[in-house]
């Protein structure tokens, strides 16, 4: 083997630092992903438990790894710790995958009735076995309700992060057709609270006010009131933009 001179070794190091697979704050990309893949696995397993066997955990881990790569390329040390930024990117990729993977179908009325009881009692994060005892229902029934709740909330969370076909539907909901790019609509959505964002998306996917009320744990009248408030905000916001 021919030994490199100090000058040649320095040039090789400079070329490595110019590579897109090298971040001066994080080192080599492959090493970074290998060292942090357990974070992707942790997030993947969290969502896998929520949605059950409808998705393969390995697929979620793969999406999480892509999120790690995005975090690596977009890391700015002035904006926070890499662990925090990586978690955000991992969740975003996994939620995006789940939104397209999971079906949004009309569920039987009894599913929403059980969901309403679970949310009112604040049991949505409790084990299905414990909830089943409280509600005097079968464990399988409770699991079905929890899965429905998870799918709807995952879809809403992911939809608010994307500038896709939902934007056009949301524009129609607000009676807004002047914003061809959807930019103003996305800016407006960011002014809403987390609950208001979820209500908007659930309304766009044709859920009734009663169904929405049972997902977020409030009365149907409260959902109606909040929808009116959102539309008033939209009229005021878009009126200034016309």
């Amino acid at each position: 083997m021919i030994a490199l001179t100090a000058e040649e070794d320095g040039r090789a190091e400079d070329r490595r630092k110019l590579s897109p697979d090298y971040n001066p704050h994080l080192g080599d990309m492959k090493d970074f992903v290998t060292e942090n893949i357990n974070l992707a696995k942790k997030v993947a397993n969290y969502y896998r438990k929520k949605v059950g066997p409808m998705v393969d955990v390995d697929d979620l881990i793969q999406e999480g790894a892509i999120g790690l790569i995005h975090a690596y390329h977009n890391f700015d040390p002035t904006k926070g710790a890499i662990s925090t930024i990586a978690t955000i990117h991992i969740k975003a990729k996994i939620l995006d995958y789940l939104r397209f993977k999971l079906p949004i179908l009309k569920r039987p009325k009894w599913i929403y009735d059980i969901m309403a009881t679970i949310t009112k009692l604040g049991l949505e994060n409790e084990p299905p076995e414990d909830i089943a005892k409280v509600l005097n229902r079968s464990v399988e029934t409770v699991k079905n309700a929890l899965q429905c709740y998870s799918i709807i909330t995952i879809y809403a969370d992911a939809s608010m992060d994307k500038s896709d076909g939902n934007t056009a539907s949301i524009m129609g909901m607000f009676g807004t057709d002047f914003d061809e790019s959807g930019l103003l609509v996305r800016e407006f959505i960011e002014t809403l609270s987390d609950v208001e964002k979820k209500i908007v998306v659930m309304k766009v996917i044709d859920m009734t006010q009663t169904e929405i009320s049972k997902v977020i744990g409030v009365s149907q009248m409260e959902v109606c009131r909040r929808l009116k408030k959102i539309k008033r905000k939209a009229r005021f916001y878009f009126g200034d933009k016309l």
Side-chain angles (χ1 to χ4, degrees):
M1 179 181 291
I2 300 175
L4 293 175
T5 66
E7 183 178 352
E8 289 172 330
D9 189 49
R11 286 200 297 268
E13 178 68 13
D14 289 340
R15 285 195 297 272
R16 185 169 70 92
K17 290 183 178 181
L18 290 173
S19 167
D21 293 339
Y22 180 82
N23 184 310
H25 302 290
L26 303 172
D28 182 75
M29 185 180 72
K30 289 183 179 179
D31 292 340
F32 170 79
V33 173
T34 299
E35 291 167 3
N36 292 277
I37 194 64
N38 283 339
L39 181 58
K41 291 179 179 179
K42 180 180 179 181
V43 177
N45 281 305
Y46 170 79
Y47 285 108
R48 173 60 167 71
K49 289 178 182 177
K50 280 184 169 290
V51 300
M54 299 179 71
V55 295
D56 191 318
V57 70
D58 288 337
D59 291 337
L60 298 185
I61 293 172
Q62 182 176 352
E63 293 298 318
I66 295 172
L68 275 175
I69 294 172
H70 285 185
Y72 175 88
H73 287 304
N74 293 282
F75 177 61
D76 181 347
T78 66
K79 295 183 178 180
I82 184 57
S83 58
T84 301
I85 294 171
T87 300
I88 292 171
H89 281 273
I90 290 168
K91 284 184 177 180
K93 284 301 298 179
I94 289 177
L95 284 171
D96 191 31
Y97 174 82
L98 287 173
R99 186 175 65 118
F100 288 102
K101 185 72 173 178
L102 299 175
I104 300 297
L105 304 173
K106 287 290 184 182
R107 264 45 181 204
K109 182 178 181 297
W110 62 264
I111 283 280
Y112 292 100
D113 291 338
I114 295 175
M115 285 167 54
T117 304
I118 290 173
T119 53
K120 285 178 182 177
L121 296 177
L123 300 173
E124 55 265 32
N125 294 317
E126 299 299 321
E129 294 77 11
D130 294 347
I131 299 174
K133 290 178 182 178
V134 173
L135 302 186
N136 194 27
R137 296 272 192 166
S138 71
V139 174
E140 190 62 30
T141 295
V142 170
K143 284 182 177 179
N144 286 337
L146 289 174
Q147 185 179 75
C148 180
Y149 178 87
S150 295
I151 290 172
I152 291 170
T153 53
I154 283 171
Y155 190 93
D157 287 341
S159 294
M160 287 295 91
D161 289 333
K162 302 300 290 182
S163 55
D164 58 10
N166 274 330
T167 301
S169 298
I170 292 171
M171 287 166 63
M173 175 183 168
F174 296 138
T176 305
D177 58 8
F178 62 89
D179 183 19
E180 293 183 0
S181 69
L183 179 60
L184 292 179
V185 169
R186 294 195 294 276
E187 289 179 349
F188 168 69
I189 290 296
E190 287 307 311
T191 69
L192 302 178
S193 69
D194 288 343
V195 172
E196 288 173 336
K197 290 177 183 178
K198 290 186 191 305
I199 289 174
V200 169
V201 171
M202 286 187 278
K203 187 63 178 175
V204 166
I205 62 176
D206 292 328
M207 288 179 63
T208 67
Q209 291 184 12
T210 300
E211 291 167 349
I212 294 171
S213 72
K214 292 174 180 179
V215 172
I216 63 176
V218 300
S219 68
Q220 183 269 329
M221 290 298 295
E222 176 63 13
V223 171
C224 180
R225 187 188 70 80
R226 294 196 186 197
L227 277 168
K228 289 179 180 178
K229 181 180 178 182
I230 291 168
K231 290 182 178 181
R232 285 198 302 271
K233 286 183 178 181
R235 284 195 295 269
F236 179 79
Y237 184 87
F238 295 125
D240 287 346
K241 308 296 181 182
L242 285 171

